[in-house]
Amino acid sequence: MPSARSEFREAAATVASHVLIVATLLLVMWQGLLPGLLCVCLGFLATRWLSPRLGLLTRSADRQAPQLAATLVALVPVVLIAFMVPRARGVVLDAPETYRELLGFLARTVMELSDKLPPDIAAQLPRGAEDVQRAIATYLASKAGTLATTGRAWLSGLLFAFVGLLIGALAAARPSVILLKPLAAQLHQRLTRFGETFRQIVVAQFFIALFNTLLTAIFLLAILPMWGYRLPYSWALILLTFAAGLIPIVGNLICNAVLTLVGLSVSPLVALACLVFLIAIHKAEYFINAKVIGHRTHMGVWELLSVMLLMEAIFGPAGLVAAPLFYAYAKKELEAAGWV
């Protein structure tokens, strides 16, 4: 009888842990707390990665190394902010206004497409091209209007991200509990799998975005000026490349379209150079995505695109970022249960 009761408690704890995780993830999406959740995971993993290395370096006790790592993880953003804000205050605080202007600039570029292209190519545009141009320009202008009211949400997202980083660092520094009650043990298992998924997907995608951003910055700030060309909104485009690079597949399309349109506003030759450059670096990214993310998580491109489309429809742009992580985690749980 105690065995049957123990099995029932174990099953009930498993179900309850799944319900709590799903409810938490839904709450995160509905309340706009995704930056905080991602930074909780980032702070936790960074602290766990730093702890043994700092322990060897400082020869500190086992309990002191995690605390030292957590302090370092918490202080690094503060130091970076103190160093960068006086120099890049306008870039950070005025980002929504900058991107509103960028979208308006793109809308005007689309409307003036026939004037930007060489006469021979412009003459080949179909008659319905003007209607398409007008529809795209209207869409971009509407998004620009929406961005004008997101300044407060942008600053809130930065605050949630920093608080999440602190929570993750402090959680990683606390002593491990050897004996856990059934519900706590199941929640620990759920969170461990979520952390593994985060490490496989988001960390890999973060370095891919960083790689793209570095190359894009070199292209926009060094290579193009060597040819005598400068793209407007260069710093906004660099930040956009990093943000869009966190979104698999779709982020590439966004970067390609925006940079090519901005290049077209300068000249068709610059637009072609932007397109060739982006295709070249994204070929490397596709290889990394296929080998690192797709292989480790067993996700097909069609699965990823379907989930991203659904999540974007429900939760907006945040759904695009969360979709690969949430779907890969759900698939990992189903694989562990033997259902898929």
Side-chain angles (χ1 to χ4, degrees):
M1 193 70 179
S3 176
R5 185 176 181 180
S6 176
E7 289 179 2
F8 174 77
R9 288 179 62 192
E10 190 73 21
T14 302
V15 173
S17 67
H18 282 101
V19 170
L20 285 173
I21 288 293
V22 171
T24 301
L25 294 180
L26 288 175
L27 183 64
V28 163
M29 296 305 298
W30 280 330
Q31 296 300 317
L33 300 175
L34 183 63
L37 173 64
L38 297 180
C39 285
V40 166
C41 298
L42 184 62
F44 185 90
L45 292 178
T47 303
R48 286 291 171 91
W49 184 85
L50 277 174
S51 292
R53 289 160 179 82
L54 286 177
L56 291 174
L57 185 65
T58 61
R59 297 181 181 179
S60 57
D62 292 341
R63 293 184 180 180
Q64 292 178 350
Q67 296 174 358
L68 185 60
T71 303
L72 187 61
V73 170
L75 286 179
V76 165
V78 176
V79 173
L80 287 177
I81 290 172
F83 178 76
M84 291 179 61
V85 163
R87 295 164 178 78
R89 184 174 178 272
V91 175
V92 176
L93 298 182
D94 299 336
E97 178 65 22
T98 302
Y99 285 107
R100 185 187 69 82
E101 293 177 3
L102 175 60
L103 285 175
F105 179 80
L106 292 176
R108 293 192 298 273
T109 302
V110 170
M111 288 302 297
E112 298 167 0
L113 181 61
S114 58
D115 298 332
K116 301 289 184 182
L117 292 174
D120 293 341
I121 298 178
Q124 301 300 320
L125 291 176
R127 292 183 178 179
E130 292 184 1
D131 295 333
V132 175
Q133 289 174 237
R134 194 173 295 107
I136 295 174
T138 302
Y139 173 79
L140 291 172
S142 68
K143 292 300 180 183
T146 303
L147 265 179
T149 61
T150 59
R152 189 174 179 181
W154 166 252
L155 294 177
S156 298
L158 291 177
L159 178 62
F160 289 148
F162 180 67
V163 172
L165 195 72
L166 292 179
I167 293 172
L170 292 174
R174 65 187 294 270
S176 300
V177 180
I178 299 175
L179 185 61
L180 295 172
K181 298 292 185 180
L183 181 58
Q186 289 297 324
L187 284 173
H188 182 269
Q189 191 174 15
R190 303 284 86 75
L191 293 174
T192 300
R193 288 199 182 121
F194 189 85
E196 291 174 357
T197 308
F198 178 88
R199 181 174 52 82
Q200 290 175 341
I201 295 246
V202 178
V203 172
Q205 197 65 38
F206 174 83
F207 284 108
I208 291 171
L210 204 60
F211 170 75
N212 285 348
T213 305
L214 177 62
L215 292 183
T216 302
I218 293 172
F219 178 73
L220 294 180
L221 303 179
I223 297 176
L224 280 181
M226 286 174 58
W227 291 355
Y229 295 105
R230 288 188 180 275
L231 260 62
Y233 302 101
S234 291
W235 282 106
L237 292 173
I238 291 170
L239 292 177
L240 176 65
T241 300
F242 178 76
L246 297 174
I247 307 172
I249 304 171
V250 177
N252 295 343
L253 299 177
I254 295 172
C255 289
N256 287 355
V258 172
L259 262 75
T260 303
L261 276 175
V262 175
L264 185 61
S265 71
V266 177
S267 77
L269 180 61
V270 174
L272 180 61
C274 290
L275 188 58
V276 171
F277 167 78
L278 290 168
I279 290 174
I281 65 171
H282 290 323
K283 283 297 181 183
E285 182 180 336
Y286 286 136
F287 176 79
I288 298 172
N289 268 321
K291 293 295 182 182
V292 177
I293 297 178
H295 177 71
R296 289 184 182 180
T297 59
H298 311 291
M299 289 192 302
V301 174
W302 69 270
E303 295 177 86
L304 192 55
L305 285 175
S306 300
V307 174
M308 289 169 70
L309 181 64
L310 179 63
M311 291 279 286
E312 197 276 336
I314 298 173
F315 300 111
L320 283 175
V321 178
L325 174 62
F326 287 9
Y327 179 69
Y329 167 67
K331 200 165 185 179
K332 189 182 287 289
E333 288 285 3
L334 292 174
E335 287 175 352
W339 287 8
V340 296

